[in-house]
């Protein structure tokens, strides 16, 4: 239980220093709700998830099913869930009639999958797509000229996903005023 031994004093100290502020940590990638030994130490469940990209690329139906199943397990902890990272890379201008990895259509459809799940799981209290704009990284087999998970290019030109997010957020603004 090294994880718990490490995080317990940190969570306690954060509460001592700033009692009204919620305390959280990010559960990155694939830490499962039935295996996490520190969830009870924190006020909010923060998750970074990449179903349909790093896990099961090009299978959005399975991504939707697995994401929802996992979020429902986390919801059983009776804590709000904030998704701190989700998304996929899209090479700017790479288009396809059928959404496939690295296309702008795939990035948009993957975000739509996640949004449908978030809207069905009441415990999801917030979402933060990764990332605002593409950025430079070291070259590698998972990176084509940098990280391309941005909904804008490095030059701040919108990809298709930016328009999808704008529509979602505008709908949320309208819904919140009803």
């Amino acid at each position: 239980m090294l994880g718990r031994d490490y995080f317990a004093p940190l969570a306690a100290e954060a509460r001592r220093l700033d009692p009204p502020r919620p305390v959280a940590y990010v559960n990155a990638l694939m830490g499962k709700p039935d295996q996490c030994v520190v969830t009870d130490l924190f006020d909010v469940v923060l998750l970074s998830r990449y179903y349909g990209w790093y896990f099961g690329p090009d299978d959005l139906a399975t991504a939707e099913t697995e994401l929802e199943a996992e979020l429902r397990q986390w919801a059983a902890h009776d804590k709000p869930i904030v998704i701190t990272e989700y998304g996929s890379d899209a090479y700017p201008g790479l288009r396809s009639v059928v959404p496939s990895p690295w296309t702008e259509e795939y990035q948009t459809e993957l975000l739509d999958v996640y949004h449908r799940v978030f809207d069905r799981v009441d415990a999801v209290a917030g979402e933060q797509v990764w990332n605002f704009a593409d950025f430079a990284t070291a070259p590698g087999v998972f990176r084509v000229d940098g990280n391309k998970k941005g909904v804008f290019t490095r030059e701040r030109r919108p990809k298709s996903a930016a328009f999808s997010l704008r529509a979602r957020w505008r709908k949320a603004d309208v819904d919140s005023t009803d």
Side-chain angles (χ1 to χ4, degrees):
M1 278 237 246
L2 293 175
R4 187 170 186 85
D5 293 342
Y6 176 80
F7 280 109
L10 292 176
E13 182 67 0
R15 283 197 174 83
R16 186 187 70 75
L17 293 171
D18 196 354
R21 189 179 308 264
V23 178
Y25 83 106
V26 177
N27 181 305
L29 293 181
M30 298 309 296
K32 298 294 184 184
D34 59 338
Q35 298 170 343
C36 184
V37 297
V38 298
T39 304
D40 64 297
L41 299 173
F42 298 97
D43 303 308
V44 181
V45 175
L46 304 179
L47 302 173
S48 294
R49 292 298 183 262
Y50 287 95
Y51 291 106
W53 188 246
Y54 295 125
F55 306 97
D58 205 20
D59 186 354
L60 294 178
T62 300
E64 186 165 358
T65 300
E66 290 180 356
L67 176 64
E68 184 166 355
E70 183 183 350
L71 292 182
R72 292 198 182 284
Q73 289 177 329
W74 285 110
H77 288 277
D78 291 325
K79 296 174 186 263
I81 299 169
V82 175
I83 308 299
T84 57
E85 285 186 34
Y86 67 103
S88 72
D89 288 81
Y91 198 82
L94 184 60
R95 308 301 301 264
S96 176
V97 173
V98 177
S100 59
W102 291 96
T103 65
E104 290 191 38
E105 288 77 15
Y106 188 82
Q107 183 184 46
T108 299
E109 182 58 30
L110 183 136
L111 295 178
D112 290 346
V113 162
Y114 274 67
H115 298 153
R116 286 193 303 267
V117 172
F118 298 164
D119 292 347
R120 290 192 302 258
V121 179
D122 290 339
V124 175
E127 59 196 59
Q128 180 175 308
V129 69
W130 185 264
N131 193 31
F132 167 73
D134 297 341
F135 57 92
T137 61
V141 295
F142 292 107
R143 300 284 181 250
V144 177
D145 190 34
N147 188 304
K148 302 293 187 210
K149 286 186 192 70
V151 297
F152 289 85
T153 67
R154 287 184 75 186
E155 298 77 28
R156 305 307 192 253
R157 292 187 185 104
K159 296 180 193 175
S160 299
F163 300 101
S164 176
L165 287 168
R166 179 175 63 182
R168 176 173 176 75
W169 295 335
R170 283 186 173 168
K171 181 185 180 309
D173 286 344
V174 169
D175 290 349
S176 69
T177 60
D178 290 344

